[in-house]
Amino acid sequence: MTADKKILPNSLRSGPDENGHFGLYGGRYVAETLMPLILEVEQAWHAARDDQDFWDEFNDLATNYVGRPSPLYFAKATTAHYGGAKIYFKRDELNHTGAHKINHCLGQILVAKRMGKKRIIAETGAGQHGVATATVCALFDMPCTVFMGAEDVERQSPNVFRMKLLGAEVIPVTSGSGTLKDAMNEALRHWVANVEDTYYLIGTVAGPHPYPEMVRDFQSVIGKETKEQMREREECLPDTLVACIGGGSNAMGLFHPFLDDESVNMIGVEAGGFGVDTDKHAASLNGGSAGILHGMRSYFLQDSDGQIQEAHSISAGLDYPGIGPEHAFLHDIERVEYVSVTDDEALDAFKMLCKLEGIIPALEPSHAFAHVMKIAPTLPKDHIIVMNLCGRGDKDIFTVAEKLGEEI
Amino acid sequence: MTRIQKTFENLNGAKALNIFVTAGYPDAPTSLEILNSLPDAGADLIELGIPFTDPMADGPTIQNSSLVALENGMTLAGTLEILTQFRKTNNTTPVILMGYFNPIYAYGCEKFVTDAAEAGADGLIVVDLPPEEDAELRIPAQEVGLDFIKLITPTTIGTRLDKVLGNASGFLYYVSIAGVTGTKSADIGAVGAHIQDIKSKTLLPVAVGFGIKTPEDAKNMSQIADAVVVGSAIVENIDKNQGSNDLVATLKQQISALKSAI
């Protein structure tokens, strides 16, 4: 993989602008203490992006350590079961560490190394990004501190243990409501106090510029591979892309290389929790409004006074009250359609995928599959859907067992 | 002449004491009572914190005060109402509204600056609006006569300092540590050198804040700055004495001691 060098100015892939804005969204809304550091990250990232040696190292690790390219799998049984569109899965759950998060962790730790940073901090919700960060820190022998909401530490104890095995220090965050957004606040506070030697490895296409751009560019390996694999298999572009969205990293990775291909429909699936008409969901675009948090302007769950509200989802990885700014932009210009599915629909989809394909998916892509289940039967047989199967479900078996009323 | 300019002029070289309190903490009536008592206690300027759920630059003390204020029903409109009430008895002490951009953005920038000016605010400090992003609020604020007070930190050096100084008004707020409010103490030598550099580039008064807790801290900082800001230590004292009849008297004692030290 290398950087895209020839993107036309009128391309949807040309964003963000020099100040990190995607239309109205994005930007750098951080305390002055962080500004020089954020500018330094941007400079280092842009220098890396233009350096073939950087990509050679990234590609070598992506191939031999992560196991890329991930397969594009034709889901024959699922396609037959729903009797409509042809369904493919992009198998990013087969990556080392079991999800797509490793893609941007690898990229960012290489940037951190170039900057001469000595230690890494990260926030995590479900623990997937925390595990992926701890993994690359072990690989590069860098100390790693992961901030995790106290409530999530409780809910996701296997991942907490994994991080510790990999040598990371996990700090439970009790401030605020003790969940992912508070973990991110705490990581930012810690960063402000340790600007000299610390790199903040953000886990999604969110935060201040250049993070949304940088994480997207590392994740776009997913879409680039998909395009190539589709050309080999079907000699055409896919008709519809489907991916789940919390902060939006796996969706942005799949969508971005296709943004200028007008014939390709894209659908982002938000976590609808108990339903977007209740106060228990995580659908920032479908149930939130524009605001400013965590260094960016985007959509957030908030009340009329601009106070941030708690998100809810059965999937801890989607349980975030905001969304990456590029998604906010693509939503406003209607290039990508954003829908939501509920906890119950995601749980049904989880069970169906186990049964039909022998794949235990994470609860996050189970949301994407729930939407595929809805649309596939309504589409013609020559319509091709690619769904990003961005994580495996081993981490979720406890949550699912509890929901199904079974003890394990 | 603005209230901020008058305040610094009347001090005639003596150092100013800025006191930070969180609006609506511990509740709206007590908060107003505290605010009303600050000028007599020795506060030359007041920073009134707008509560927010996610105060990224604040330590545990101010975080907690924000959450309690919100739980007790405080809003941005409620903050302006407290200020309106305060102005009924005080028309001289500058009040600077300090907070994060999201509640202001939700309220609407234009409407906010109009209502804030009408309520009697003198300036704004918005922690998460660096110069790159501040035009949206700074321009309308300065149009209605509200000073837009810039934060300068130990990492604001070189050409970045010039960028931050551009469009600054009222005074400058020097954040003495790389860190959040109410935590570590500053390296006074380094702060002094940086402030000298700043003063060679601007005529605006410089206030120093973050990590100033005791009269001794205040005394040390006052030797290198025009004003010192005390926040977390005040909020901590409110926290300790809330519900007590002596709350206002205790605060007065604390603030008088700070004022006489500088």
Side-chain angles (χ1 to χ4, degrees), chain B:
Chain B
M1 199 183 275
T2 66
R3 284 191 201 100
I4 292 175
Q5 286 168 332
K6 255 184 243 163
T7 299
F8 280 103
E9 191 179 271
N10 291 344
L11 280 165
N12 201 16
K15 304 307 166 87
L17 179 63
N18 296 16
I19 296 295
F20 172 94
V21 287
T22 303
Y25 180 70
D27 55 55
T30 315
S31 177
L32 178 60
E33 199 186 332
I34 291 168
L35 202 62
N36 283 333
S37 75
L38 295 179
D40 281 348
D44 298 300
L45 295 93
I46 295 170
E47 290 172 15
L48 186 60
I50 303 165
F52 181 46
T53 38
D54 296 80
M56 264 167 8
D58 286 300
T61 305
I62 294 176
Q63 284 173 40
N64 178 59
S65 70
S66 279
L67 290 182
V68 170
L70 291 171
E71 274 164 26
N72 290 333
M74 190 42 53
T75 58
L76 179 47
T79 303
L80 296 180
E81 179 53 30
I82 289 178
L83 176 53
T84 304
Q85 293 302 320
F86 170 78
R87 279 282 173 247
K88 286 186 175 164
T89 56
N90 179 306
N91 200 28
T92 52
T93 308
V95 175
I96 292 97
L97 294 170
M98 182 165 185
Y100 296 81
F101 190 36
N102 201 50
I104 295 170
Y105 180 76
Y107 194 93
C109 289
E110 299 276 346
K111 181 169 155 44
F112 169 72
V113 296
T114 309
D115 292 357
E118 199 178 299
D122 300 281
L124 306 177
I125 302 176
V126 186
V127 179
D128 52 356
L129 272 187
E132 283 81 353
E133 307 288 354
D134 72 9
E136 186 177 359
L137 183 64
R138 177 179 48 77
I139 293 169
Q142 290 176 335
E143 268 169 17
V144 300
L146 290 174
D147 280 319
F148 200 81
I149 291 149
K150 301 286 192 89
L151 296 167
I152 298 177
T153 73
T155 57
T156 316
I157 48 177
T159 53
R160 174 107 204 129
L161 178 58
D162 299 329
K163 181 162 190 151
V164 174
L165 289 175
N167 301 314
S169 59
F171 60 91
L172 296 162
Y173 190 124
Y174 188 83
V175 175
S176 69
I177 52 162
V180 295
T181 55
T183 51
K184 52 191 179 186
S185 294
D187 170 358
I188 191 140
V191 173
H194 202 177
I195 288 180
Q196 260 185 350
D197 184 30
I198 294 163
K199 284 197 151 292
S200 72
K201 295 180 174 178
T202 176
L203 296 172
L204 291 173
V206 180
V208 179
F210 281 47
I212 300 169
K213 291 173 182 161
T214 63
E216 200 191 340
D217 296 338
K219 184 181 172 192
N220 292 337
M221 281 301 172
S222 69
Q223 284 160 5
I224 54 171
D226 304 300
V228 295
V229 188
V230 185
S232 295
I234 304 290
V235 174
E236 211 169 273
N237 207 2
I238 297 173
D239 183 26
K240 255 190 257 165
N241 292 285
Q242 57 173 303
S244 150
N245 290 332
D246 300 332
L247 171 61
V248 167
T250 311
L251 281 180
K252 192 168 181 168
Q253 220 169 28
Q254 182 188 19
I255 294 166
S256 306
L258 289 163
K259 179 65 182 169
S260 34
I262 66 176

Side-chain angles (χ1 to χ4, degrees), chain A residues 70-256:
Chain A
S70 68
L72 182 69
Y73 166 67
F74 172 52
K76 204 169 153 189
T78 305
T79 301
H81 183 82
Y82 292 102
K86 233 176 150 174
I87 300 165
Y88 280 89
F89 295 136
K90 179 63 175 161
R91 301 285 305 274
D92 251 54
E93 100 281 13
L94 294 176
N95 292 338
H96 178 44
T97 73
H100 69 290
K101 295 288 182 195
I102 191 80
N103 301 331
H104 65 233
C105 287
L106 209 48
Q108 285 192 66
I109 202 159
L110 293 176
V111 171
K113 256 185 31 172
R114 286 172 72 106
M115 292 176 75
K117 296 298 178 188
K118 300 280 180 262
R119 56 191 288 271
I120 301 290
I121 58 168
E123 84 296 338
T124 196
Q128 290 307 97
H129 172 64
V131 168
T133 305
T135 299
V136 297
C137 287
L139 180 65
F140 286 97
D141 193 22
M142 282 172 95
C144 175
T145 303
V146 179
F147 294 88
M148 188 169 185
E151 200 182 306
D152 291 331
V153 169
E154 222 33 56
R155 291 196 283 195
Q156 307 284 338
S157 54
N159 270 346
V160 174
F161 186 60
R162 278 187 193 106
M163 286 184 267
K164 286 182 179 165
L165 279 177
L166 292 161
E169 174 194 18
V170 179
I171 299 188
V173 174
T174 52
S175 65
S177 48
T179 57
L180 176 56
K181 82 172 171 74
D182 305 290
M184 196 154 178
N185 289 336
E186 212 52 42
L188 284 162
R189 288 180 188 121
H190 182 91
W191 203 23
V192 166
N194 296 275
V195 287
E196 292 297 325
D197 64 346
T198 302
Y199 180 87
Y200 181 14
L201 206 157
I202 293 183
T204 188
V205 285
H209 178 64
Y211 285 97
E213 172 195 81
M214 177 167 57
V215 172
R216 174 201 74 197
D217 285 356
F218 291 133
Q219 289 297 350
S220 67
V221 66
I222 300 171
K224 286 177 182 170
E225 286 174 7
T226 300
K227 215 170 192 178
E228 175 98 25
Q229 290 163 324
M230 206 21 79
R231 214 174 273 143
E232 279 167 20
R233 301 281 287 278
E234 298 275 357
E235 295 177 342
C236 66
L237 289 167
D239 298 294
T240 299
L241 304 174
V242 183
C244 63
I245 302 207
S249 60
N250 92 82
M252 196 49 75
L254 177 64
F255 296 167
H256 192 259

Side-chain angles (χ1 to χ4, degrees), chain A residues 39 52 67 70 78 131 243 269 297 309 366:
Chain A
L39 294 169
Q52 191 52 46
S70 68
T78 305
V131 168
V269 185
R297 184 190 306 228
Q309 290 170 322
S366 297

